[in-house]
mmCIF file of all heavy atoms in Angstrom:
data_model
loop_
_atom_site.group_PDB
_atom_site.id
_atom_site.type_symbol
_atom_site.label_atom_id
_atom_site.label_comp_id
_atom_site.label_asym_id
_atom_site.label_seq_id
_atom_site.Cartn_x
_atom_site.Cartn_y
_atom_site.Cartn_z
ATOM 1 N N ALA A 13 -13.923 14.049 1.661
ATOM 2 C CA ALA A 13 -13.283 15.283 1.616
ATOM 3 C C ALA A 13 -14.036 16.113 0.441
ATOM 4 O O ALA A 13 -14.137 15.542 -0.704
ATOM 5 C CB ALA A 13 -11.806 15.198 1.261
ATOM 6 N N ARG A 15 -13.037 19.080 -0.703
ATOM 7 C CA ARG A 15 -12.084 19.912 -1.467
ATOM 8 C C ARG A 15 -10.635 19.380 -1.239
ATOM 9 O O ARG A 15 -10.387 18.658 -0.305
ATOM 10 C CB ARG A 15 -12.086 21.449 -1.121
ATOM 11 C CG ARG A 15 -11.808 21.658 0.345
ATOM 12 C CD ARG A 15 -11.978 23.195 0.613
ATOM 13 N NE ARG A 15 -13.309 23.624 0.384
ATOM 14 C CZ ARG A 15 -14.260 23.525 1.193
ATOM 15 N NH1 ARG A 15 -14.106 23.048 2.386
ATOM 16 N NH2 ARG A 15 -15.491 23.993 0.928
ATOM 17 N N VAL A 29 -25.548 5.027 -0.589
ATOM 18 C CA VAL A 29 -24.899 3.746 -0.851
ATOM 19 C C VAL A 29 -24.698 3.638 -2.383
ATOM 20 O O VAL A 29 -25.576 3.845 -3.155
ATOM 21 C CB VAL A 29 -25.726 2.521 -0.366
ATOM 22 C CG1 VAL A 29 -25.137 1.260 -0.799
ATOM 23 C CG2 VAL A 29 -25.833 2.575 1.171
ATOM 24 N N GLU A 50 -2.329 9.866 -0.009
ATOM 25 C CA GLU A 50 -3.294 9.808 -1.133
ATOM 26 C C GLU A 50 -4.098 11.008 -1.351
ATOM 27 O O GLU A 50 -4.485 11.274 -2.505
ATOM 28 C CB GLU A 50 -4.235 8.583 -0.959
ATOM 29 C CG GLU A 50 -5.231 8.663 0.121
ATOM 30 C CD GLU A 50 -6.107 7.515 0.179
ATOM 31 O OE1 GLU A 50 -7.159 7.449 -0.566
ATOM 32 O OE2 GLU A 50 -5.793 6.479 0.882
ATOM 33 N N ALA A 207 28.191 0.338 -1.360
ATOM 34 C CA ALA A 207 28.203 -0.973 -1.799
ATOM 35 C C ALA A 207 27.476 -1.094 -3.173
ATOM 36 O O ALA A 207 26.544 -0.278 -3.455
ATOM 37 C CB ALA A 207 27.440 -1.816 -0.785
ATOM 38 N N TYR A 209 25.071 -2.568 -5.011
ATOM 39 C CA TYR A 209 23.848 -3.467 -4.977
ATOM 40 C C TYR A 209 23.310 -3.825 -6.342
ATOM 41 O O TYR A 209 23.484 -3.033 -7.219
ATOM 42 C CB TYR A 209 22.802 -2.726 -4.149
ATOM 43 C CG TYR A 209 23.095 -2.509 -2.693
ATOM 44 C CD1 TYR A 209 23.447 -1.232 -2.225
ATOM 45 C CD2 TYR A 209 23.080 -3.555 -1.822
ATOM 46 C CE1 TYR A 209 23.837 -0.977 -0.930
ATOM 47 C CE2 TYR A 209 23.370 -3.314 -0.448
ATOM 48 C CZ TYR A 209 23.738 -2.076 0.003
ATOM 49 O OH TYR A 209 24.073 -1.820 1.312
ATOM 50 N N GLY A 218 12.889 11.732 -2.617
ATOM 51 C CA GLY A 218 13.602 12.798 -2.298
ATOM 52 C C GLY A 218 15.107 12.653 -2.374
ATOM 53 O O GLY A 218 15.684 12.122 -3.299
ATOM 54 N N ASP A 222 17.917 10.387 -4.874
ATOM 55 C CA ASP A 222 19.118 10.964 -5.469
ATOM 56 C C ASP A 222 20.367 10.123 -5.107
ATOM 57 O O ASP A 222 21.188 9.866 -6.006
ATOM 58 C CB ASP A 222 19.264 12.370 -5.058
ATOM 59 C CG ASP A 222 18.207 13.331 -5.646
ATOM 60 O OD1 ASP A 222 17.651 12.938 -6.668
ATOM 61 O OD2 ASP A 222 18.025 14.350 -5.026
ATOM 62 N N SER A 224 20.480 7.009 -4.346
ATOM 63 C CA SER A 224 20.368 5.572 -4.699
ATOM 64 C C SER A 224 21.196 5.216 -5.896
ATOM 65 O O SER A 224 21.623 4.106 -6.027
ATOM 66 C CB SER A 224 18.853 5.179 -4.907
ATOM 67 O OG SER A 224 18.168 5.285 -3.654
ATOM 68 N N ALA A 243 15.727 12.741 -15.034
ATOM 69 C CA ALA A 243 16.118 12.403 -16.411
ATOM 70 C C ALA A 243 17.622 12.373 -16.572
ATOM 71 O O ALA A 243 18.340 13.238 -16.068
ATOM 72 C CB ALA A 243 15.552 13.439 -17.365
ATOM 73 N N ARG A 297 0.068 9.804 11.284
ATOM 74 C CA ARG A 297 1.406 9.703 10.718
ATOM 75 C C ARG A 297 2.456 10.532 11.432
ATOM 76 O O ARG A 297 3.572 10.156 11.685
ATOM 77 C CB ARG A 297 1.388 10.103 9.284
ATOM 78 C CG ARG A 297 2.834 10.077 8.611
ATOM 79 C CD ARG A 297 2.653 10.739 7.281
ATOM 80 N NE ARG A 297 3.660 10.202 6.285
ATOM 81 C CZ ARG A 297 3.617 10.493 4.958
ATOM 82 N NH1 ARG A 297 2.613 11.183 4.500
ATOM 83 N NH2 ARG A 297 4.587 9.915 4.255
#
Side-chain angles (χ1 to χ4, degrees):
R15 58 184 60 86
V29 173
E50 69 177 274
Y209 296 103
D222 291 337
S224 293
R297 174 189 212 170

